[in-house]
Amino acid sequence: MSLRRYAAAVVIAGGLAASPASGADPACPNADQAPANATVSELAAGVRCLLNQERAGGQLSPVAGNSRLASAANGHATDMVARHYFAHTSLGGATFVDRIRRAGYLPSMGQWSAGEILAWASGPLATPRGIVDAWMASPEHRQILMDPRYADVGVGVAVGAPEAGADPAITVDADFGRIAGRSRHKRGS
């Protein structure tokens, strides 16, 4: 059995209202980093940390970083920026399930669940906090982010936007999953 969830993608522009950061977050030190001041790995770590803060606030288990999901998410975020599109399905027709299967996350047999959420932001909202705040404000995205079935996550970040002229910007893909019967210690990081 497989469960596939798709959510509408979120685009946040620098002109939208957002709660300003009140200084560095010691629990998530990369949460307020702008793309000019951080590596994509630091930005992805900030998103993953904030996702787990939100899940903890909802009394949910954290999602563990998974290198296979991260590889699929990073490839898709990079492709969207490079080829100027913003969608769950790539220009070549690959769905997020196709991408996570190619990355080796999904087993050939057995039960699994997977979901994907996307966002891109420009200007002052192009931070991990800006992205996660937008996802939490969207019922469709929040539903996936707060789904208790998910145990793994891969966050991919690309500097830039799927459309020209939106700088500084980041594009983020978060792929969530759970493989039935797989314990946490068997997951990649």
Side-chain angles (χ1 to χ4, degrees):
M1 175 186 139
S2 65
L3 172 67
R4 299 175 192 160
R5 289 193 176 192
Y6 297 91
V10 172
V11 178
I12 48 180
L16 295 177
S19 56
S22 59
D25 183 341
C28 294
N30 298 314
D32 299 304
Q33 292 294 319
N37 303 326
T39 67
V40 291
S41 295
E42 290 168 336
L43 296 169
V47 170
R48 191 173 54 251
C49 181
L50 291 168
L51 292 175
N52 280 323
Q53 275 189 351
E54 294 293 348
R55 290 177 64 87
Q59 305 301 312
L60 298 173
S61 296
V63 285
N66 182 282
S67 60
R68 291 176 178 173
L69 287 175
S71 176
N74 190 57
H76 189 56
T78 302
D79 188 54
M80 288 189 292
V81 170
R83 297 175 65 195
H84 305 293
Y85 72 97
F86 188 63
H88 292 283
T89 301
S90 73
L91 294 179
T95 67
F96 88 91
V97 172
D98 295 330
R99 291 188 296 275
I100 64 175
R101 186 177 306 281
R102 272 195 311 259
Y105 179 75
L106 296 178
S108 59
M109 297 183 66
Q111 295 184 345
W112 52 270
S113 297
E116 176 176 75
I117 54 180
L118 305 174
W120 74 267
S122 63
L125 299 178
T127 65
R129 188 177 311 280
I131 295 293
V132 174
D133 285 351
W135 283 336
M136 290 302 289
S138 163
E140 296 87 3
H141 293 84
R142 182 184 176 92
Q143 181 179 3
I144 291 173
L145 192 153
M146 300 299 283
D147 191 320
R149 290 176 291 184
Y150 296 137
D152 302 318
V153 70
V155 177
V157 175
V159 174
E163 67 181 43
D167 290 318
I170 58 173
T171 300
V172 182
D173 180 336
D175 290 340
F176 294 84
R178 179 175 200 97
I179 307 299
R182 190 180 290 174
S183 65
R184 259 190 208 278
H185 70 276
K186 292 183 182 177
R187 289 187 217 128
S189 54

